[in-house]
Amino acid sequence: MSFSAPVLILYGSTYGHTENYARWLQEKLANAGFAHTTTLAISDVDEDALTDASIVVVGTSDYGGFLNGASTLRKFLPQLENKKLFFFTVSFNGLVGSTREKLDEKVVKSFTPALVATAPTFHLRGGLDHTRLSTTHKTVLQGVRVALSTKLKKNLGNQQMLESFSQGKADYSDPESLNPLVQTIVEAQDASAS
């Protein structure tokens, strides 16, 4: 099956994990039959790119509850209102260390309830390379390390975060975790073609 609807994949990435997911998604959508897909950093988006797209997928990295690129993309809310929208976030823990409700709430808070109301949202895992972190992120993560060390009941995400400090890095990125998003986009396109 082939789809003619142009897809724009936007990403806000700090250390590259979200950008990797955006590129993997572009490849997966091409393999699923989408003939026209473009991947673009949110910082480079303009009205023309949004006008040309029928489907917009927004991927943002989550650092301490702030979604990378959200403030830039909010400037284009009028252009996004009539698009088929899909969101994905990338964080160290994803759904391993948080609930869907909490992660969805960050997307709603960042992109307005009206815009997100009918847009499917997915939450993926990324990684940490402590040698590449900015001074600010290192400082914040030291506070996280102390808090997690004293926590009596640690979930898997907490344990893996603590392990990342001793190992220097950890990466839980998985291109296969994009499959449900790809399937949702294909199903939405099938439904609109009928």
Side-chain angles (χ1 to χ4, degrees):
M1 180 170 277
S2 179
F3 302 106
S4 61
V7 179
L8 177 62
I9 303 165
L10 299 173
Y11 65 87
S13 190
T14 305
Y15 296 108
H17 296 95
T18 308
E19 180 178 359
N20 288 341
Y21 274 114
R23 304 231 179 262
W24 291 331
L25 179 60
Q26 182 177 18
E27 183 179 318
K28 286 179 173 290
L29 288 173
N31 291 338
F34 286 88
H36 307 286
T37 60
T38 304
T39 301
L40 188 65
I42 290 174
S43 58
D44 296 332
V45 73
D46 60 23
E47 285 188 31
D48 290 338
L50 291 168
T51 300
D52 294 342
S54 296
I55 299 168
V56 178
V57 182
V58 178
T60 58
S61 57
D62 176 358
Y63 283 93
F66 298 98
L67 300 182
N68 189 327
S71 61
T72 299
L73 204 54
R74 279 195 302 271
K75 296 173 188 172
F76 297 98
L77 290 179
Q79 290 83 8
L80 291 170
E81 287 176 350
N82 297 316
K83 305 293 180 185
K84 287 184 192 167
L85 281 174
F86 302 84
F87 289 91
F88 70 88
T89 66
V90 179
S91 60
F92 183 80
N93 285 329
L95 293 171
V96 170
S98 189
T99 64
R100 172 170 295 286
E101 292 75 25
K102 284 184 182 180
L103 295 176
D104 284 350
E105 188 177 298
K106 291 178 186 181
V107 177
V108 170
K109 182 178 168 184
S110 295
F111 292 107
T112 75
L115 191 64
V116 178
T118 60
T121 303
F122 299 81
H123 304 289
L124 312 172
R125 294 194 71 188
L128 280 172
D129 182 344
H130 292 275
T131 64
R132 295 183 58 219
L133 296 177
S134 69
T135 303
T136 302
H137 286 152
K138 284 181 182 178
T139 302
V140 169
L141 282 176
Q142 285 306 318
V144 169
R145 183 182 195 177
V146 169
L148 290 178
S149 296
T150 60
K151 193 173 183 177
L152 295 177
K153 291 186 177 182
K154 297 174 183 66
N155 64 33
L156 179 61
N158 299 151
Q159 293 167 358
Q160 290 172 336
M161 176 66 81
L162 287 170
E163 289 167 4
S164 79
F165 286 97
S166 59
Q167 296 170 357
K169 61 181 163 181
D171 191 348
Y172 297 99
S173 301
D174 178 8
E176 299 310 304
S177 65
L178 287 164
N179 291 344
L181 171 55
V182 172
Q183 181 179 347
T184 302
I185 294 170
V186 168
E187 288 170 357
Q189 192 58 32
D190 279 342
S192 69
S194 329

